């Protein structure tokens, strides 16, 4: 019961936060000098009347607070509005979300599957050759800029013809058998996944290693060892459980990154995800689309944190007091 | 101690790096302009004749018959579109080039044009009679929409009266046919004849008839179709529901990835064997985000045809002999690159001049403008910036324009003549080598262009150099695109600016917004909206008259006289100094036959006639 109360309380706390985020973003976008109609203005075949009509249609003739109020009231009612070219924002997002989710969830799953054990190993064999090797590799991974790595891989794909040049599916995807489709998807996913995996793996491995080292140094581990427990029991029963707490918080952030974490890589690989859509929208100051994606990002972040906190309550008895 | 040493080394490295960051914010230094070798390309035979399709009647059906060699059926062509892909498949609401291109695959217009000569040819119309103000359209008998309903006069009337004249969707077609505030009228004579009546003779009208024709029964079957017009044929539509007339129809749209079109088996065009076109089973447009990705995709053999730019041309040309594609240089494209001079001598509503009055005097001086023109080295612009893939330009009509004034041959760079012109207007050189006007003001002004466009930025640097040879100091300022547009169309506070516009090579009248003195894009002497004082320069008056009169004349030869004159005026007065026109270079895989690429129409203009030899499919 307490947990439900706690969740409700958190959700109510969230509302003013979202409100402030939306106001700040809306005003920043509208006050920026980007003119959504700049291209049209320089088109010799566009008449003055058409320009005026467009200005009215996009609501640019009204003061910014009025524009905001209009946007906010329809957003609250669940209507995300239309893009500057007249398509429904909700439709646009719906087209792209599954693709981005596919990419990011594969990456997160793989990162955690590999990163956490590597972090533990690094800590357990602290200062060994193995640990040093991991440190060097993860430093490299963290140091490579993702877009640069992506471009290198893209050139690799062109030169070797082993992998397709960006995209998610081949042009004849619809005519393939189920097995062929899976293979085709896998082929397209290898490169972007490699880029994102390399970069987030390094971070996670370092984080896990540091947590684990912290814990291994503590009094209760010394005590456990002194008690004569086997090293195996010390690590997995006592050290690991305590080292996981910060990672659960991290998982909350990963959740937020599910929809927005891969934008740069998506752009380089021409991946049909949200990143490309939103980048284009920002360039054109397509306000409804940008706002929808920003709000989505904020909600995901808040939600991720909430989930992490709930998980912490479940895993860590010391925090349970908060809910009461 | 060791730590202190490390710290000192670190600080040393950082201070060594700092000057790079503090470097003065000059845009491009001279040394960064690449000196490149011109690429030698064979010109595509522009005199290659594209035979217009004819009309043949078989069993009461008026087919369109292609006059090109008979080809093999089957295969698919994959091409690309840059950007975010189509926003709609409705040809009447499409506002961007990609959407119109896709929509026009499915909807034919009454007329079309010859891709090489630009002549108007019949498409959905069987023939067109022009009698003064009347355009009598005879439609084909027996041709059908994809759902089997005949295409009749009702569809034509519906399209023009209920969609275009009513101002639904994109109103640019409607805007362009309002003559003296009046729209043309349309009436039905019988099921296969309609008559358009224009208020007075209006030459551009014939080409405007290429606007697609909509299936009336399909559009009106949508409840409340007028209100929800923007949603008709939206990208979320189920392709099976679409009723179309074109050679290809939408099979599948995968957002941000591709648009697939399938062959229309009942298209009304046939080949010389009287078999139905088109030959290719499928046309696929891959949606790619940028030029680089498009090039990689062509190299990875994922696409069949591409427009090549700049440095890549030389690389592809070197590989052509051992490859499976041909490279065609199609000649000068429709785009133009120019230097505009701000002749504005008005004050804003606070009483402040838009342009500094000292500079106004220079810019208003015809000799000064001509001197600038003669100081610019177009040849080196073409070689160094466009990699030789451009042609020097001196006219306001693009080099592939059918109304191009060929008697304007231009000139070479001539510094001594330029200096003489300046001298005539009382300019003199100071001891420091800089140019001063007769009142002793140093000649110095700002040159703008949009930042991020490397081509224009390089042009700016070279023009700055060229004018420095005349003793003129140019402050070259690339600014954000939006800022530049705002300066040009709203605040008018600029001196000179490097720009490019895409004109229409077929219809000079479309440039009216630029050349008419009250036009919204009359950049070089922009008057605010609602400006009523008549302060037109004598040659601006002349231009106004020319554009008004030329549209009233219907024959090409009569119009040509007017448009030749207008180009001569621009060339003499130089409010806009034209620099060069890029040439268009395309690569097409060799297996495709019957291709007639041209700068007027691109590569896929006659897509229904293109085929792949059986052996290579």
């Amino acid at each position: 019961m307490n947990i439900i109360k706690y969740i409700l309380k958190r959700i109510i706390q969230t509302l003013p936060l979202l409100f402030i985020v939306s106001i700040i973003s809306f005003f920043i976008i509208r006050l920026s000098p980007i003119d959504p109609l700049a291209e049209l203005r320089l088109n010799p075949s566009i008449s003055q009347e058409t320009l005026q009509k467009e200005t009215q249609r996009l609501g640019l003739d009204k003061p910014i607070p009025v524009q905001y109020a209009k946007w906010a009231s329809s957003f609250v009612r669940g209507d995300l509005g239309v893009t500057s070219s007249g398509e429904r924002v909700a439709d646009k997002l719906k087209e792209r979300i599954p693709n981005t989710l596919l990419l990011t969830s594969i990456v997160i799953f793989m990162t955690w599957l590999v990163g956490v054990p590597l972090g533990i190993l690094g800590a357990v064999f602290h200062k060994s050759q193995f640990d040093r090797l991991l440190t060097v590799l993860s430093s490299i991974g963290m140091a490579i800029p993702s877009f640069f790595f992506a471009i290198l891989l893209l050139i690799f794909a062109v030169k070797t013809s082993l992998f397709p040049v960006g995209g998610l599916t081949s042009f004849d995807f619809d005519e393939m058998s189920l097995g062929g489709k899976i293979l085709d998807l896998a082929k397209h996913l290898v490169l972007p996944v490699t880029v994102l995996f390399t970069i987030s793996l390094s971070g996670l491995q370092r984080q896990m290693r540091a947590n684990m080292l912290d814990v291994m140094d503590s009094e209760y581990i010394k005590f456990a060892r002194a008690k004569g427990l086997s090293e195996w029991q010390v690590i997995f029963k006592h050290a690991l459980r305590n080292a996981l707490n910060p990672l659960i918080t991290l998982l909350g952030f990963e959740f937020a990154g599910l929809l927005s974490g891969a934008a740069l890589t998506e752009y380089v690989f021409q991946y049909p995800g949200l990143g490309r859509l939103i980048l284009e929208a920002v360039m054109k100051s397509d306000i409804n689309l940008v706002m929808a994606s920003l709000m989505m990002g904020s909600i995901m972040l808040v939600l991720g944190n909430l989930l992490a906190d709930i998980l912490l309550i479940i895993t860590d008895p010391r925090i349970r007091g908060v809910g009461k | 101690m060791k730590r202190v040493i490390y710290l000192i080394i670190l600080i040393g490295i950082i201070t060594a790096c700092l000057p790079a960051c503090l470097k003065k914010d000059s845009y491009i230094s001279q040394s960064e302009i690449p000196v490149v070798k011109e690429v030698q390309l064979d010109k595509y035979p522009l005199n290659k004749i594209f035979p217009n399709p004819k009309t043949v009647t078989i069993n009461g059906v008026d087919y369109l018959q292609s006059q090109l060699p008979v080809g093999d059926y089957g295969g698919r062509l994959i091409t690309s579109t840059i950007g975010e892909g189509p926003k709609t498949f409705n040809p009447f609401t499409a506002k961007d080039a990609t959407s119109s291109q896709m929509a026009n695959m499915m909807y034919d217009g009454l007329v079309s044009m010859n891709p090489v000569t630009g002549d108007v040819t019949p498409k959905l119309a069987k023939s067109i009679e022009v009698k003064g103000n009347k355009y009598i359209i005879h439609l084909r008998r027996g041709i059908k929409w994809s759902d089997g309903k005949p295409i009749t006069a009702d569809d034509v009337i519906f399209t023009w009266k209920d969609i275009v004249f009513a101002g639904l969707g994109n109103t640019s077609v409607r805007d362009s046919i309002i003559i003296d505030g009046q729209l043309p009228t349309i009436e039905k004579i019988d099921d296969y004849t309609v008559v358009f009546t224009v208020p007075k003779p209006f030459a551009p009208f014939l080409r405007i008839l290429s606007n697609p024709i909509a299936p009336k029964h399909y559009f009106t079957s949508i409840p409340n179709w007028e209100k929800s017009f923007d949603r008709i044929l939206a990208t979320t539509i189920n392709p099976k529901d679409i009723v179309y007339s074109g050679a290809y129809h939408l099979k599948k749209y995968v957002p941000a990835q591709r648009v697939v079109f399938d062959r229309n088996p009942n298209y009304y065009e046939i080949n010389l064997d009287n078999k139905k076109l088109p030959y290719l089973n499928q046309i696929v447009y891959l949606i790619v985000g940028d030029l680089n990705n498009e090039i990689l995709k062509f190299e990875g053999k994922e696409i069949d045809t591409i427009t090549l730019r700049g440095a890549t041309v030389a690389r592809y040309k070197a590989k052509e002999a051992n490859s499976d594609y041909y490279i065609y240089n199609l000649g000068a494209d429709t785009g133009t690159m120019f230097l505009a001079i701000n002749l504005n001598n008005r004050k804003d509503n606070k009483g402040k001049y838009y342009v500094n009055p000292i500079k106004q005097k220079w810019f208003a001086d015809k000799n000064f403008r001509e001197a600038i023109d003669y100081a610019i080295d177009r040849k080196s612009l073409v070689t160094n910036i466009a990699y030789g893939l451009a042609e020097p330009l001196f006219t306001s009509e693009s080099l592939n324009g059918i109304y191009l004034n060929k008697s304007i041959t231009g000139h070479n760079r001539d510094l001594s003549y330029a200096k003489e012109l300046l001298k005539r207007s009382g300019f003199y050189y100071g001891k420091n080598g800089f140019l001063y006007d007769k009142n002793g003001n140093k000649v110095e002004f700002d040159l703008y262009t949009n930042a991020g466009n490397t081509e224009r930025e390089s042009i700016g640097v070279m023009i700055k150099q060229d004018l420095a040879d005349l003793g003129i100091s140019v402050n070259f300022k690339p600014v954000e695109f939006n800022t530049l547009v705002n300066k040009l169309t709203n605040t008018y506070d600029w001196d000179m600016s490097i720009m490019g516009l895409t004109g229409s090579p077929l219809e000079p009248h479309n440039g009216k917004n630029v050349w008419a003195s009250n036009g919204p894009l009359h950049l070089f002497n922009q008057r605010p909206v609602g400006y009523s004082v008549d302060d037109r320069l004598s040659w601006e008056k002349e231009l106004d008259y020319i554009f008004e009169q030329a549209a009233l004349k219907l024959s090409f030869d009569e119009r040509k006289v007017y448009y030749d004159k207008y180009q001569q005026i621009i060339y003499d007065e130089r409010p806009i100094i034209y620099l060069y026109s890029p040439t268009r270079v395309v690569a097409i895989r060799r297996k495709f036959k019957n291709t007639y690429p041209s700068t007027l129409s691109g590569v896929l203009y006659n897509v229904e006639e293109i085929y792949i030899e059986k052996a290579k499919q």
Side-chain angles (χ1 to χ4, degrees):
Chain A
M1 217 42 229
N2 269 333
I3 281 199
I4 295 172
K5 230 183 191 170
Y6 172 73
I7 295 173
L8 278 178
K9 217 163 106 192
R10 283 288 298 267
I11 290 177
I12 291 166
Q13 281 170 356
T14 304
L15 295 177
L17 181 81
L18 290 179
F19 177 65
I20 294 167
V21 167
S22 71
I23 281 199
I24 293 178
S25 359
F26 195 95
F27 279 74
I28 286 180
I29 298 167
R30 268 298 174 244
L31 291 176
S32 76
I34 298 180
D35 174 7
L37 298 177
E39 298 269 356
L40 277 189
R41 279 185 220 287
L42 272 197
N43 185 340
S45 59
I46 295 291
S47 71
Q48 209 56 41
E49 294 82 61
T50 313
L51 271 176
Q52 264 159 21
K53 247 197 244 166
E54 280 293 288
T55 315
Q56 274 166 20
R57 190 176 67 83
L58 298 178
L60 297 172
D61 50 344
K62 301 206 177 61
I64 298 173
V66 177
Q67 292 180 30
Y68 175 77
K70 232 173 112 192
W71 172 83
S73 68
S74 62
F75 182 79
V76 170
R77 275 181 275 125
D79 177 11
L80 297 179
V82 291
T83 66
S84 58
S85 53
E87 298 165 283
R88 281 204 188 99
V89 170
D91 287 343
K92 296 289 275 184
L93 294 179
K94 235 187 281 165
E95 285 165 359
R96 307 298 183 89
I97 287 177
N99 295 340
T100 294
L101 273 184
L102 177 70
L103 178 64
T104 47
S105 47
I106 290 177
V107 170
I108 291 177
F109 178 74
M110 282 179 56
T111 319
W112 284 69
L113 198 69
V114 181
V116 172
L118 279 185
I120 298 171
L121 286 178
V124 170
F125 301 105
H126 185 45
K127 286 192 172 164
S128 68
Q129 289 297 331
F130 178 66
D131 181 34
R132 293 222 169 96
L133 180 73
L134 279 184
T135 305
V136 169
L137 287 182
S138 59
S139 304
I140 294 174
M142 275 196 280
I144 301 180
S146 64
F147 73 93
F148 181 63
F149 191 33
I151 289 173
L152 282 183
L153 285 183
L154 212 55
I155 293 172
F156 171 76
V158 174
K159 295 285 173 207
T160 60
S161 317
L162 284 177
F163 297 104
V165 188
L168 178 61
T169 50
S170 298
F171 63 87
D172 49 358
F173 185 73
D174 299 305
E175 297 150 30
M176 291 178 182
S177 62
L178 183 65
K181 279 184 180 172
I182 293 172
L183 194 73
D184 189 54
L185 275 180
K187 254 173 132 178
H188 281 87
L189 279 168
V190 168
L191 297 184
V193 165
T194 312
V195 172
L196 292 169
F197 174 70
T198 318
I199 283 143
S200 48
L201 175 71
S202 316
L204 189 69
Q205 195 265 345
R206 301 302 295 168
Q207 181 90 25
M208 186 69 216
R209 178 176 170 276
N211 291 344
M212 201 62 182
L213 282 178
D214 252 6
V215 175
M216 298 282 273
D217 221 23
S218 61
E219 302 281 319
Y220 54 86
I221 296 295
K222 279 182 196 149
F223 177 73
R225 285 210 177 106
K227 212 162 73 171
L229 289 180
S230 71
E231 192 63 16
W232 178 268
Q233 265 185 320
V234 171
I235 292 167
F236 284 94
K237 208 160 167 209
H238 296 274
L240 185 59
R241 286 185 83 174
N242 283 296
L244 272 180
N245 269 0
L247 283 200
I248 288 175
T249 316
L250 203 65
L251 195 65
F253 285 112
E254 292 265 30
F255 183 79
L258 268 179
L259 290 182
S260 54
L264 214 54
T265 314
E266 277 185 4
Y267 191 76
V268 177
F269 282 108
Q270 302 291 303
Y271 191 86
L274 282 171
R276 236 171 101 192
L277 181 74
I278 290 160
L279 188 73
E280 197 112 331
V282 172
M283 302 281 219
K284 284 189 304 189
S285 192
D286 193 339
I287 189 104
N288 285 338
L289 195 48
V290 176
M291 285 306 291
S293 67
L294 280 175
M295 292 314 285
M296 201 169 62
S298 325
I299 292 172
M300 290 292 279
L301 189 70
V302 171
L303 214 63
N305 276 325
L306 182 62
L307 279 180
D309 287 349
I310 294 169
L311 277 178
L312 278 182
I313 293 174
I314 294 167
T315 55
D316 194 338
R318 285 171 297 186
I319 303 175
R320 264 174 224 162
V322 176
K324 281 172 193 161
Chain B
M1 199 53 215
K2 213 172 164 188
R3 272 198 199 158
V4 177
I5 294 170
Y6 277 135
L7 199 66
I8 291 171
I9 294 175
L10 191 68
I11 291 171
I13 292 173
I14 292 172
T15 39
C17 294
L18 269 181
C21 313
L22 296 175
K23 203 176 139 198
K24 206 180 132 208
D25 201 9
S26 67
Y27 247 85
I28 311 156
S29 62
Q30 173 64 18
S31 60
E32 280 173 58
I33 295 180
V35 177
V36 283
K37 255 196 356 214
E38 238 175 86
V39 190
Q40 295 301 326
L41 274 184
D42 302 328
K43 267 238 173 124
Y44 183 76
L46 285 176
N47 50 2
K48 199 170 156 188
I49 291 161
F50 179 86
N52 286 329
K54 289 179 184 154
T55 295
V56 290
T57 308
I58 303 169
N59 299 333
V61 182
D62 296 325
Y63 289 106
L64 190 66
Q65 190 182 46
S66 155
Q67 300 299 308
L68 292 183
V70 174
D72 300 323
Y73 284 83
R76 127 197 320 139
L77 186 148
I78 305 172
T79 179
S80 56
T81 168
I82 292 177
E84 274 292 298
K87 314 278 185 208
T88 174
F89 291 108
N90 185 340
F92 303 100
T93 54
K95 291 190 183 96
D96 57 296
T98 304
S99 304
S100 334
Q101 190 185 9
M102 308 270 164
N104 289 350
M105 297 271 286
M106 294 193 280
Y107 294 98
D108 283 349
L110 291 172
V111 301
S112 169
M113 66 157 185
N114 184 302
V116 179
T117 61
D119 293 340
V120 175
T121 61
K123 191 89 180 178
L124 270 183
K126 186 164 71 177
S127 63
I128 292 173
E129 290 173 64
V130 185
K131 286 185 182 160
N133 297 1
K134 288 193 189 302
Y135 292 79
I136 304 162
I137 318 275
H138 300 281
L139 294 170
R140 292 173 194 283
R141 282 162 202 269
I143 63 169
K144 296 185 172 89
W145 295 105
S146 58
D147 61 353
K149 296 250 166 52
I151 300 175
T152 65
D154 290 332
D155 295 309
V156 179
I157 304 249
F158 170 75
T159 303
W160 284 90
K161 208 178 199 166
D162 298 340
I163 297 177
V164 178
F165 295 163
L168 288 180
N170 185 349
T171 53
S172 62
V173 171
R174 181 178 183 269
D175 293 348
S176 63
I177 48 174
I178 297 180
I179 307 151
D180 290 347
Q182 266 184 296
L183 280 166
T185 54
I186 180 170
E187 63 191 298
K188 177 177 167 180
I189 303 296
D190 60 46
D191 271 355
Y192 294 96
T193 318
V194 290
V195 176
F196 286 93
T197 313
V198 286
K200 58 182 180 183
F202 186 61
F205 189 70
L206 192 58
R207 262 179 219 292
I208 291 168
L209 289 177
S210 64
N211 200 41
I213 295 299
K216 179 180 181 182
H217 64 283
Y218 173 59
F219 274 51
T220 50
S221 71
I222 292 154
N224 230 341
W225 69 274
E226 282 165 301
K227 290 258 165 57
S228 54
F229 192 72
D230 286 344
R231 299 269 157 77
I232 297 178
L233 290 165
T235 50
T236 44
I237 193 174
N238 178 359
K240 288 199 185 82
D241 296 340
I242 301 179
V243 175
Y244 51 88
S245 63
Y248 287 88
H249 68 96
L250 183 68
K251 167 86 181 306
K252 190 163 182 157
Y253 167 54
V254 191
Q257 295 193 67
R258 65 188 166 273
V259 193
V260 183
F261 287 95
D262 266 4
R263 175 177 187 267
N264 175 0
N266 291 313
Y267 194 51
Y268 60 89
E269 188 165 351
I270 54 177
N271 64 12
L272 287 170
D273 285 352
N274 293 344
K275 293 213 177 89
K276 286 197 172 170
L277 295 180
Y279 293 115
L280 297 167
N281 279 338
Q282 215 169 55
I283 308 289
V284 182
Y285 283 91
L286 298 187
I287 301 168
V288 298
D290 56 30
L291 292 173
N292 298 326
N293 206 271
E294 190 186 35
I295 288 168
L296 289 180
K297 286 210 185 277
F298 184 76
E299 207 151 310
K301 298 199 186 234
E302 287 182 34
I303 54 178
D304 293 323
T305 171
I306 188 175
T307 298
L308 295 172
R309 287 164 184 88
T312 44
V313 176
R315 194 154 59 88
Y316 277 84
K317 187 68 200 166
K319 288 195 205 163
E320 188 187 13
N322 302 316
S323 73
D324 63 343
Y325 54 80
Y326 287 119
I327 292 180
Y328 297 119
N329 178 1
L330 303 180
D333 210 344
T334 34
T336 55
M337 204 56 91
F338 58 78
L339 175 73
I341 302 174
N342 195 353
L343 303 181
N344 204 324
N345 57 3
R346 279 166 283 275
K347 291 175 182 172
D348 60 16
N349 35 23
K350 283 184 200 123
K352 195 174 157 270
Y353 281 109
Y354 292 117
V355 181
N356 182 341
I358 296 171
K359 293 176 183 170
Q360 275 181 30
K361 274 190 203 126
W362 309 334
F363 300 154
D365 183 348
K366 196 173 149 185
N367 285 338
F368 181 81
R369 299 196 300 262
E370 195 174 349
I372 301 266
D373 186 8
Y374 270 87
I376 292 172
D377 188 353
R378 290 179 174 80
K379 273 207 184 114
S380 95
L381 287 178
V382 166
T383 316
N384 290 316
I385 294 166
Y387 299 85
L389 299 170
E391 283 173 44
L393 180 71
F394 298 90
T395 51
S396 42
E397 284 298 297
S398 59
L399 291 170
N400 63 346
I402 55 177
Y403 286 97
L404 174 72
N405 183 345
K406 295 205 171 83
S407 66
I408 301 174
T409 48
H411 52 78
N412 287 326
R413 186 180 198 221
D414 191 341
L415 269 183
S416 54
Y417 179 61
K419 282 179 182 165
E420 196 195 309
L421 283 169
L422 290 172
K423 213 174 177 183
R424 266 186 233 163
S425 285
F427 290 91
Y428 67 91
Y429 286 95
K431 283 193 184 109
N432 47 11
F434 287 114
L435 188 71
Y436 292 85
D437 70 6
K438 56 185 170 208
N439 301 326
N441 299 303
K442 188 180 166 202
V443 179
E444 181 174 5
F445 53 80
D446 296 334
L447 172 62
Y448 292 95
T449 195
N450 52 318
N453 185 325
T454 44
E455 189 181 2
R456 289 184 198 168
E457 284 175 1
S458 315
I459 294 175
V461 174
M462 292 196 68
I463 288 184
K464 183 184 157 94
Q465 287 282 317
D466 285 345
L467 296 186
D469 293 342
L470 272 189
I472 298 175
S473 330
V474 173
N475 305 314
F476 179 44
K477 295 179 175 172
V479 292
E480 231 7 88
F481 181 64
N482 294 287
T483 316
L484 181 67
V485 173
N486 193 36
K487 274 183 186 302
L488 292 172
T489 61
N490 200 9
T491 58
Y492 318 143
D493 52 340
W494 54 282
D495 299 337
M496 290 197 194
S497 143
I498 298 164
M499 292 291 308
L501 288 178
T502 307
S504 161
L506 301 170
E507 186 45 74
H509 191 74
N510 292 355
K512 201 181 164 210
N513 280 348
V514 178
W515 302 116
S517 60
N518 57 357
L521 262 184
H522 195 64
L523 301 171
F524 53 89
N525 199 1
Q526 186 80 60
R527 293 168 177 84
V529 180
Y531 188 77
S532 53
V533 185
D534 184 8
D535 55 357
R536 290 178 294 168
L537 304 166
S538 62
W539 50 271
E540 279 187 308
K541 278 185 197 157
E542 220 171 323
L543 284 179
D544 283 351
Y545 177 77
I546 287 174
F547 273 87
E548 215 167 276
Q549 290 302 312
L552 294 176
K553 301 282 180 285
L554 294 182
S555 85
F556 175 84
D557 296 325
E558 273 180 290
R559 301 186 72 200
K560 183 87 167 57
V561 177
Y562 281 105
Y563 291 128
D564 278 352
K565 184 84 177 77
Y566 118 79
Q567 293 169 65
Q568 190 65 46
I569 292 174
I570 306 296
Y571 180 65
D572 290 340
E573 296 295 337
R574 299 175 166 89
I576 286 180
I577 297 171
Y578 284 87
L579 302 171
Y580 66 77
S581 218
T583 47
R584 181 147 177 188
V585 181
V586 295
I588 310 170
R589 305 234 180 256
R590 290 178 194 191
K591 61 183 181 183
F592 294 100
K593 304 290 170 190
N594 275 356
T595 53
Y596 279 80
S598 84
T599 54
L600 294 182
S601 55
V603 176
L604 296 183
Y605 187 75
N606 61 335
V607 67
E608 66 274 7
E609 294 167 313
I610 296 175
Y611 70 95
I612 309 173
E613 284 171 334
K614 201 96 222 164
K616 288 181 180 156
Q617 280 178 14

